[in-house]
Amino acid sequence: MRTHSFLTVLLWSSVFYVVHMMPSQERTNKHLHSERITGLSENDGKTLHRTKRGWMWNQFFLLEEYTGPDTQYVGKLHTDQDKGDGNLKYILTGDGAGSLFIIDENTGDIHAAKKLDREEKSLYVLRAKAIDRKTGRQVEPESEFIIKIHDINDNEPKFTKDMYTASIPEMSGVGTSVIQVTATDADDANYGNSAKVVYSILQGQPYFSVDPETGIIKTALPDMSRENREQYQVVIQAKDMGGQMGGLSGTTTVNITLTDVNDNPPRFPQSSYQFSSPESAPPGTPLGRIKANDPDVGENAEIEYSISNGDGSDMFDIITDKDTQEGIITVKKHLDFENKVLYTLRVEATNTHPDPRFLQLGPFKDTALVKISVEDIDEPPVFSRPWYLIEVDEDAKEGSIIGQVVAQDPDVAKNAIKYSVDRHTDLDRIFNIYSGNGSLFLSKPLDREETPWHNITVIATEINNPKQSSQIPVFIRILDINDHAPEFANYYETFVCENAKAGQLIQTVSAIDKDQPPRGHKFFFELVPEFAVHPNFSVVDNKDNTAGIMTRRNGYSRSKTSTYLLPIIIFDNDYPIQSSTGTLTIRVCACDSRGNMQSCSAEALLLPAGLSTGALVAILLCIIILLVLVVLFTALKRQRKKEPLIISKDDVRDNIVTYNDEGGGEEDTQAFDIGTLRNPEAREESKMRRDVIPETIFQIRRTAPLWENIDVQDFIHRRLKENDLDPAAPPYDSLATYAYEGNDSIANSLSSLESLTTEGNQDYDYLSDWGPRFKKLADMYGGEDSDRD
C-alpha cells in the first residue's frame, strides 16, 4: 500500500470582538479520516507510520462593518510539513482573494483588507493550497473553505413608499381599515432581532391607529365629518429590534382624505324671498335666483327645486341650474297688473341622491316662501278679437257701415282710443273708419268680380300716448249679387252649307256669367222677340246651359245672302234676372257632300276658274292705285284736323252729330240731342260717313214714322232688324253697329266740350277721391288742393 504523508493543518480563528471560537465539535463538514497502521515486529527493527486519507476546511466567521484600526484577522493556514524554514508557500484563491482577503504566503495568516457588508454579500467561498517553493510541487491538495459574514444591526427599516395616499368615507365606524403600510429591514431576519419590525403611530391620534405587527391603519374615532375636517396627515414609524431600545427606525407619511356622503340636507339661508316682474314680461322671462346651501359635494349636493303650493303656482315656474345648483324663477303665463298685483309661492329644495343610511336624521329637503309683485306698465290697446271677418254685399252704397272693431286700454287709466285704417293695406281708399267708435264704412263702391276679398289693417291708438298702439287684421268678404248679365262663352264662327237640310244642327253655343250664384249657373236661350219665329234659323235650349242653332229650311244661297245675323237673348236664373243679347254671325258657305266647308267668299262666284297674266297685272295696278288713294285721303284728313272743330257755342251739337261722337251717355242731353235718334227725318238728312269711301251711293230707304216716346233700346233693335232684312243696306251704315249703351257711369261725363259754356273755374277736387288711377288728372286740374290726404 502506498504511503502518503499527512498534512496537519492548524486552524485558528482570531477575530476582534470574538463572536465564536470554533471548537472541534462545531466544525462542519468534518470527515473522519481512516488511519492505516502498518506494524513491524520488533525483530524487523522498523517503526510504525500513520497515513491520513483527506480533510476539509472548516467555516470562518467575520463581523460585518468592522471599524477597528487594524485589519481584521480571519484565520491561519498551516501544514505539518511546514518546517518553518520558509520552503512552503501558501496561496489563496476564490471570492475576494487578493482584494478583500489577503494571506501571508509564508505564515498562512489570513486578514480582511476591507470593511465587509453582509447585506452586499453574506458569504465567500475560497480555496487554499501549499506549494513547495523549490520544486513547485503542491504539498497539500487544494481545499475549499467558506468565510461567512455575521450580521450586525446596521440597517433601519424602510417603507415601500415615501408617502401613502388613502381615502375613507366620512362617518365611518371605529376600526374601519384605511390602508396598510409595509416596511422592510435589510438585516438578517434569522439572526437575532435586527430585522424584526414593529409599527407605531407618531402623528394622527386620536383619529387613527395602526396595528404594530401588520401596519394596517384604522379609524379610531366615530362619526368623523368631512364638513368639519377633510384632510388628515398620519406619520407611521417602523422600528427594528422588536421595538426595543437601541433599535433603528424609519417613518412614512400617510395622507388620508375623508370622502363625502350625503349626510346633510339642503337648507335655505333665509326663510323668504322677494321679487318683482313687469306685467309685460313674456313667458320664460327669469325673475330671480334662490339657492339652498348643502355642505355636501358632488352628486350628494345636487338639488331639485319645485313649487309645492301657493296662489302663483300656475303663473310662475322654477327650474334648476345644474352648474350652480340654483333655482331660477321664471314667468309661466302672461301677467296682468289690473287682475292681480302680488303672488305667493312656496318653493321646495330636495336632494336628488339621498343616502338611506342617514334618512333617520330627517327629511333631506327644505322650503322657503317667495313673494312676487307685479309692476304696472302702460300697455297698448287690446282688441276684443284676434281678427275680424266682415261680409258685405257688393251693391252696398257708399257711406254705409259694414262692421265695427272694438278695442280698449287694459290699464287702470282707461285712456281714450282712436281708430284708423292702415292705408298701406287699402291703397284705393275703399274703406274708412270712424275714429271714435271703430265703425267701418264704405268710401267707394265694391265690385266682387274685380276683388272678392279685401284684407285691411285697423290701428287702435291711445289718444294721450300715441306711442301705445296696436293693430288687428280685418278680412272683408264681398258677397255676390246678380249684377252681370250672361254672355256668349266664346266668339263663334258659324257657317251653314248651301246644301243644308231643315232641322240640321249647325252650332252649339254656351254662356258664361261673372256672377257666382250659390246654387250655380242656369242659363236660358231664345231668339229676340222681333225674331221669335225666324224664317231661316231657330234656337233650341238644351236645358244644360247650352243651346243649339238649327236650320229651318232646305238650301241657302250665297249669291242672295252671304251672311245672316241671328240675335239671341241669354237669361240667368238668379235674382234680379239679368239678360243680354248676343248676335251670332252665320255665313253661307259651299260644302262638299260630307258637309265640310270649302269656300265662304261671295266674290269667288264671280271669278273665273283661272286668271291670265294680264288679269293679274291689272289686279296689281288696281291695288297700287288704291294704296295711292288711301295715302292722299290720309293727307287730306290731317289738313282738316288743323281746322277748329268748334267755331261757336251754337255749333256744338251739330258738330257732334256730324262727327258721330257718342257724347256723355243718355243723360248727357246738353252735349247730344237724343231727339236726333228719335227723328227719322234727321237720320235721313245726315251726311255720309267720312271714314269710308263708298263705291256706290245707296239711297237710304225711308221708313214709317215712329212713335214719339218710343224707348231708345227698342228703337235701336227695330233699326237693326230693318238693316238685317234690307239687302241694299250698305255695310258701313253706322246704325247697324249701334247697341244699347246701358247704365251711366258714376264718374259722370269727363268731356270738356261743354267747358266753353261754363262760367268761371270748375272745381276738380273730387278727382282726388277717385283713387290712384285718376291721380294724374287730379294733379293736372286740382292744383295745390289735390295734395291733401
Side-chain angles (χ1 to χ4, degrees):
M1 177 180 293
R2 185 178 178 180
T3 304
H4 298 276
S5 62
F6 297 91
L7 175 66
T8 303
V9 180
L10 301 178
L11 177 63
W12 300 93
S13 295
S14 175
V15 182
F16 292 99
Y17 308 106
V18 177
V19 178
H20 290 282
M21 295 299 293
M22 293 301 299
S24 60
Q25 64 268 20
E26 291 183 6
R27 293 173 184 174
T28 60
N29 299 325
K30 182 178 180 181
H31 296 272
L32 298 177
H33 303 280
S34 60
E35 295 181 353
R36 182 180 182 182
I37 302 174
T38 303
L40 295 176
S41 63
E42 295 179 359
N43 297 328
D44 294 335
K46 294 182 179 181
T47 59
L48 298 177
H49 294 279
R50 184 179 64 181
T51 302
K52 291 184 178 179
R53 293 189 179 271
W55 47 270
M56 288 292 295
W57 289 105
N58 290 319
Q59 181 172 281
F60 294 110
F61 291 92
L62 287 178
L63 287 177
E64 65 172 337
E65 303 293 343
Y66 173 73
T67 58
D70 298 325
T71 58
Q72 186 177 187
Y73 181 73
V74 178
K76 185 179 181 64
L77 294 180
H78 186 72
T79 176
D80 53 2
Q81 295 187 19
D82 187 0
K83 303 302 183 179
D85 54 3
N87 290 329
L88 293 182
K89 179 182 179 181
Y90 295 96
I91 298 175
L92 184 66
T93 62
D95 294 338
S99 58
L100 294 178
F101 302 101
I102 301 174
I103 188 170
D104 189 339
E105 61 182 12
N106 296 319
T107 62
D109 293 326
I110 301 173
H111 291 81
K114 297 180 180 179
K115 181 173 64 175
L116 301 178
D117 188 356
R118 188 200 67 85
E119 285 71 36
E120 292 182 2
K121 193 173 181 66
S122 60
L123 57 88
Y124 296 87
V125 178
L126 298 118
R127 290 176 296 277
K129 56 185 177 181
I131 300 174
D132 190 334
R133 294 180 182 271
K134 294 179 180 182
T135 62
R137 182 178 60 87
Q138 186 173 314
V139 297
E140 290 287 350
E142 186 179 73
S143 181
E144 184 179 273
F145 67 96
I146 296 173
I147 299 177
K148 187 175 182 181
I149 310 302
H150 266 190
D151 182 49
I152 64 173
N153 190 18
D154 59 341
N155 291 280
E156 72 277 4
K158 292 184 178 181
F159 286 93
T160 56
K161 294 181 181 181
D162 294 334
M163 180 176 292
Y164 292 84
T165 302
S167 63
I168 185 174
E170 63 173 332
M171 309 300 290
S172 297
V174 176
T176 303
S177 296
V178 180
I179 193 174
Q180 183 178 15
V181 295
T182 303
T184 57
D185 196 323
D187 295 325
D188 189 358
N190 298 321
Y191 181 76
N193 293 328
S194 297
K196 186 177 182 180
V197 178
V198 174
Y199 300 95
S200 62
I201 184 168
L202 300 182
Q203 177 182 326
Q205 295 176 332
Y207 307 104
F208 300 94
S209 63
V210 63
D211 188 297
E213 295 183 359
T214 63
I216 297 176
I217 301 174
K218 300 179 180 180
T219 58
L221 287 180
D223 301 333
M224 286 192 295
S225 175
R226 184 199 65 82
E227 288 73 32
N228 295 333
R229 183 176 178 182
E230 184 176 4
Q231 300 287 341
Y232 293 87
Q233 192 174 70
V234 178
V235 178
I236 302 297
Q237 181 189 65
K239 191 174 184 180
D240 59 10
M241 299 297 293
Q244 297 177 5
M245 292 289 293
L248 302 177
S249 64
T251 60
T252 187
T253 302
V254 182
N255 293 324
I256 301 176
T257 303
L258 296 184
T259 58
D260 185 61
V261 297
N262 194 5
D263 59 339
N264 293 282
R267 290 288 181 264
F268 283 105
Q270 58 192 68
S271 60
S272 64
Y273 296 85
Q274 183 75 34
F275 298 101
S276 62
S277 171
E279 61 176 332
S280 61
T285 302
L287 303 181
R289 292 172 176 254
I290 61 175
K291 183 177 182 180
N293 298 326
D294 191 335
D296 298 323
V297 295
E299 68 174 16
N300 297 322
E302 292 181 1
I303 301 173
E304 187 70 28
Y305 296 90
S306 62
I307 298 177
S308 58
N309 53 42
D311 57 1
S313 57
D314 58 336
M315 302 298 295
F316 301 93
D317 199 2
I318 187 169
I319 57 177
T320 303
D321 189 334
K322 298 299 183 182
D323 297 329
T324 62
Q325 298 300 315
E326 293 176 316
I328 306 173
I329 299 176
T330 61
V331 178
K332 188 176 181 181
K333 294 182 180 180
H334 286 287
L335 304 175
D336 188 1
F337 174 82
E338 289 72 27
N339 185 29
K340 191 175 180 63
V341 298
L342 183 64
Y343 293 91
T344 302
L345 307 175
R346 185 164 293 277
V347 178
E348 185 177 271
T350 307
N351 272 142
T352 57
H353 299 86
D355 194 330
R357 296 177 299 171
F358 306 102
L359 292 179
Q360 71 276 4
L361 300 178
F364 277 71
K365 60 183 179 180
D366 195 15
T367 59
L369 197 66
V370 178
K371 295 181 180 180
I372 302 175
S373 58
V374 181
E375 299 175 353
D376 185 27
I377 64 170
D378 191 4
E379 299 176 272
V382 177
F383 284 91
S384 60
R385 300 179 188 176
W387 49 271
Y388 288 86
L389 174 62
I390 297 176
E391 295 181 342
V392 57
D393 293 332
E394 65 174 321
D395 62 345
K397 302 299 181 182
E398 296 181 25
S400 58
I401 295 177
I402 62 173
Q404 185 181 17
V405 297
V406 178
Q408 62 178 0
D409 184 9
D411 298 321
V412 178
K414 301 296 181 185
N415 293 324
I417 295 172
K418 65 177 181 179
Y419 302 89
S420 61
V421 175
D422 185 357
R423 290 304 173 189
H424 293 90
T425 62
D426 184 25
L427 296 176
D428 294 335
R429 295 180 176 267
I430 299 176
F431 304 96
N432 212 331
I433 192 170
Y434 290 108
S435 61
N437 57 12
S439 296
L440 287 164
F441 63 92
L442 292 177
S443 297
K444 294 181 180 180
L446 302 173
D447 187 358
R448 188 203 66 83
E449 286 70 32
E450 181 179 352
T451 307
W453 283 90
H454 293 273
N455 301 328
I456 66 173
T457 300
V458 175
I459 303 173
T461 307
E462 291 184 13
I463 296 178
N464 295 338
N465 187 7
K467 294 183 179 180
Q468 295 297 335
S469 64
S470 58
Q471 56 187 17
I472 199 74
V474 178
F475 307 104
I476 302 174
R477 179 183 180 186
I478 310 303
L479 301 179
D480 184 39
I481 64 168
N482 194 24
D483 58 343
H484 289 82
E487 56 188 15
F488 281 132
N490 299 300
Y491 174 76
Y492 297 100
E493 295 182 354
T494 307
F495 71 93
V496 61
C497 295
E498 289 183 306
N499 58 357
K501 304 296 183 182
Q504 182 178 343
L505 176 66
I506 63 173
Q507 183 69 58
T508 300
V509 296
S510 61
I512 58 174
D513 193 339
K514 294 181 180 179
D515 297 319
Q516 290 183 351
R519 296 185 300 274
H521 292 293
K522 182 65 177 176
F523 302 125
F524 302 95
F525 303 86
E526 63 180 39
L527 290 172
V528 295
E530 292 82 356
F531 298 100
V533 181
H534 198 282
N536 299 314
F537 304 98
S538 63
V539 177
V540 178
D541 195 335
N542 297 327
K543 308 300 182 183
D544 61 351
N545 294 340
T546 64
I549 310 301
M550 311 292 293
T551 59
R552 295 195 64 183
R553 64 185 178 88
N554 296 328
Y556 296 84
S557 175
R558 285 184 291 167
S559 60
K560 293 181 179 181
T561 305
S562 62
T563 303
Y564 292 93
L565 299 178
L566 186 64
I568 301 174
I569 301 178
I570 309 173
F571 300 90
D572 58 19
N573 195 32
D574 205 357
Y575 180 83
I577 295 176
Q578 298 285 348
S579 65
S580 67
T581 300
T583 300
L584 191 66
T585 302
I586 304 174
R587 295 182 296 164
V588 181
C589 302
C591 303
D592 59 12
S593 59
R594 296 182 180 180
N596 297 323
M597 180 181 66
Q598 292 181 338
S599 175
C600 297
S601 176
E603 288 76 4
L605 297 174
L606 303 176
L607 294 175
L611 296 176
S612 63
T613 304
L616 292 175
V617 172
I619 292 174
L620 291 175
L621 290 175
C622 293
I623 294 174
I624 293 172
I625 293 171
L626 182 61
L627 291 174
V628 172
L629 292 175
V630 170
V631 171
L632 293 175
F633 177 77
T634 304
L636 182 61
K637 189 175 181 180
R638 289 181 178 178
Q639 290 181 355
R640 290 181 179 179
K641 285 184 178 180
K642 296 180 181 179
E643 299 177 359
L645 295 177
I646 301 175
I647 300 175
S648 64
K649 296 182 180 179
D650 300 331
D651 299 336
V652 173
R653 202 178 334 174
D654 293 338
N655 282 301
I656 293 174
V657 175
T658 301
Y659 287 95
N660 300 320
D661 194 297
E662 184 178 355
E666 288 183 3
E667 296 181 1
D668 191 4
T669 57
Q670 295 180 1
F672 183 77
D673 188 2
I674 200 169
T676 304
L677 281 177
R678 296 182 177 178
N679 187 357
E681 300 298 330
R683 180 180 62 85
E684 294 175 356
E685 294 175 358
S686 62
K687 297 180 180 181
M688 293 182 296
R689 292 177 54 173
R690 297 183 179 180
D691 57 345
V692 178
I693 301 177
E695 297 179 358
T696 305
I697 300 176
F698 293 91
Q699 296 294 329
I700 300 176
R701 182 170 55 90
R702 289 181 176 271
T703 58
L706 301 176
W707 294 283
E708 189 68 19
N709 296 324
I710 190 170
D711 184 69
V712 175
Q713 183 178 8
D714 294 338
F715 172 79
I716 292 174
H717 282 303
R718 288 177 184 270
R719 287 293 175 258
L720 288 174
K721 181 178 180 182
E722 291 177 4
N723 283 273
D724 288 340
L725 297 177
D726 188 1
Y732 50 82
D733 193 344
S734 61
L735 288 177
T737 60
Y738 282 158
Y740 182 66
E741 182 182 5
N743 295 329
D744 60 335
S745 171
I746 62 171
N748 295 324
S749 175
L750 299 178
S751 174
S752 61
L753 293 176
E754 63 177 347
S755 62
L756 295 176
T757 60
T758 304
E759 298 296 331
N761 294 330
Q762 188 175 349
D763 186 7
Y764 294 98
D765 291 344
Y766 58 86
L767 293 176
S768 301
D769 299 330
W770 287 4
R773 299 178 182 177
F774 296 93
K775 185 177 184 302
K776 189 66 176 177
L777 287 174
D779 295 339
M780 293 173 59
Y781 293 96
E784 295 181 357
D785 296 336
S786 63
D787 296 333
R788 64 183 179 85
D789 183 10

